[in-house]
Amino acid sequence: MQIKAKKEFGQNFLKDKGVLEKIIQAMSDRKEIIVEIGPGLGDLTQCLLEKNSVIAFEIDSDLCVFLKEKFAKELDEERLILHQGDVIKQWDSESSLISKPYILVANLPYYVATPIVLRALSDPMCHYIEVMVQKEVAEKFSAKSRSKQYCKLSVIAQIFSKVKVLFDIPPEAFEPSPKVFSSVIVFKKEDTTFDALHFRAFYDYLETAFSSPRKLWVKNLNKNYDKAVLIELLNEANISFQVRPHEIDPITHHHLFTKLTKVNKDVKRDKRRE
Ligand code: SAM
């Protein structure tokens, strides 16, 4: 069966065996079931199946036909379960991708890698994420405060997981070759008991806080909160009112968000009493 890579689905197939081995080695001895998004031609799937059972989500119906033939035995034995469709839609219909604890290991399509990582971070069933993404995206997720790449993605990832970039991969490792370098990045979650609403509210706060990254934190948040309250919070935390969002480390952002949530709740309660 002749398979032609489809650009619209971000298909760059990983052909370098050395890279596949390094991805598998980094997983160490995790016991959870493996979820793979975008198995493609199944080279990574084959390696993952040597570690544990795999549940795979693939959008491309032609690839699903190919995979069903290639993995007929594993599908029959239910060591591999293959879902055809857009994984984002699956996440939109349920807050967890599957109903038991899992780890996500995948070579993600560039065009949808960031939304996939964000959904996996907020999915309480997902305990560990090891994915290949565009190098620039990995740099954003792992950036430290005050660096050029530091942004809302750095903060949310580093609050909800321990982030580590493992290694870079050159375009030649793929068929067809993309125009950019890729990186393998790991997000290790220590606490999976948070609720998805908390994640969403914190992300909304970060969108506002970083809406104009070079503007003052107070100015960005002034759209939603009283300026005096914002300045008082900064004073309490011993931070200058001239601070900009990229100068605040992830833990301090989370602290400020928690305080603002409390202020909002108090205002709503006072209004109800009036
Ligand atoms: N895992 C294979 C490999 O390493 O060679 C393929 C990786 S390729 C970069 C991305 C894969 O994700 C393709 O198979 C593509 O069809 C699939 N894909 C793209 N968008 C998707 C989506 N929204 N949901 C599920 N799979 C998707």
Side-chain angles (χ1 to χ4, degrees):
M1 187 175 180
Q2 187 67 18
I3 299 280
K4 219 171 155 253
K6 296 188 181 106
K7 249 193 182 159
E8 70 270 30
F9 292 144
Q11 291 176 357
N12 301 99
F13 302 116
L14 181 59
K15 286 288 148 211
D16 188 317
K17 290 220 157 50
V19 175
L20 284 169
E21 265 166 36
K22 275 164 91 175
I23 293 174
I24 300 297
Q25 267 167 21
M27 285 167 59
S28 60
D29 276 334
R30 306 238 25 151
K31 298 281 176 279
E32 300 94 331
I33 198 160
I34 302 166
V35 164
E36 185 188 9
I37 294 174
L41 296 173
D43 292 24
L44 177 59
T45 322
Q46 186 91 62
C47 302
L48 293 173
L49 281 164
E50 281 166 28
K51 296 287 258 181
N52 206 345
S53 302
V54 175
I55 300 184
F57 293 83
E58 174 56 63
I59 198 169
D60 184 345
S61 54
D62 292 337
L63 281 178
C64 284
V65 173
F66 172 85
L67 289 164
K68 278 179 188 160
E69 212 172 288
K70 177 169 177 156
F71 293 111
K73 186 167 172 277
E74 290 82 354
L75 286 161
D76 202 39
E77 291 168 353
E78 293 184 1
R79 288 199 294 120
L80 172 65
I81 294 171
L82 177 63
H83 294 286
Q84 194 213 316
D86 182 345
V87 73
I88 295 285
K89 287 198 181 135
Q90 180 72 25
W91 249 312
D92 286 344
S93 61
E94 300 280 340
S95 58
S96 285
L97 198 50
I98 60 171
S99 55
K100 50 185 150 190
Y102 72 91
I103 64 171
L104 170 63
V105 184
N107 168 16
L108 293 179
Y110 290 151
Y111 80 99
V112 72
T114 299
I116 287 176
V117 170
L118 288 175
R119 278 172 172 78
L121 279 172
S122 71
D123 183 342
M125 286 298 169
C126 179
H127 290 183
Y128 169 93
I129 306 166
E130 184 181 327
V131 284
M132 202 180 297
V133 296
Q134 191 174 332
K135 184 171 160 55
E136 284 73 19
V137 173
E139 283 170 352
K140 281 187 184 170
F141 278 121
S142 57
K144 297 285 166 245
S145 56
R146 294 177 179 271
S147 69
K148 210 171 125 224
Q149 291 85 355
Y150 187 67
C151 61
K152 61 184 181 210
L153 297 179
S154 334
V155 180
I156 197 116
Q158 291 167 41
I159 285 297
F160 288 94
S161 68
K162 264 212 159 106
V163 185
K164 193 170 176 202
V165 177
L166 298 187
F167 55 91
D168 298 337
I169 305 144
E172 309 81 74
F174 302 90
E175 181 55 46
S177 297
K179 291 196 173 66
V180 291
F181 268 69
S182 305
S183 302
V184 172
I185 183 167
V186 165
F187 304 83
K188 215 184 244 175
K189 292 197 202 167
E190 261 141 32
D191 178 14
T192 52
T193 56
F194 63 88
D195 78 81
L197 279 179
H198 173 71
F199 185 96
R200 185 68 241 174
F202 186 44
Y203 194 70
D204 288 346
Y205 153 85
L206 290 171
E207 284 202 303
T208 314
F210 281 88
S211 51
S212 298
R214 299 296 145 197
K215 271 195 190 163
L216 300 186
W217 177 86
V218 169
K219 232 184 170 134
N220 283 335
L221 281 160
N222 194 205
K223 293 170 211 152
N224 298 356
Y225 300 93
D226 186 52
K227 193 172 174 183
V229 170
L230 295 170
I231 293 182
E232 197 184 314
L233 280 187
L234 289 178
N235 269 338
E236 275 172 21
N238 243 336
I239 302 171
S240 157
F241 76 95
Q242 285 183 319
V243 75
R244 289 164 211 277
H246 71 284
E247 295 169 329
I248 304 175
D249 65 45
I251 290 177
T252 309
H253 266 298
H254 194 251
H255 166 81
L256 293 168
F257 157 74
T258 309
K259 290 272 179 185
L260 282 172
T261 311
K262 190 174 174 320
V263 169
N264 257 1
K265 271 191 192 144
D266 291 347
V267 169
K268 276 189 194 148
R269 192 197 52 221
D270 292 347
K271 276 201 176 136
R272 271 202 304 273
R273 280 188 188 154
E274 277 168 19

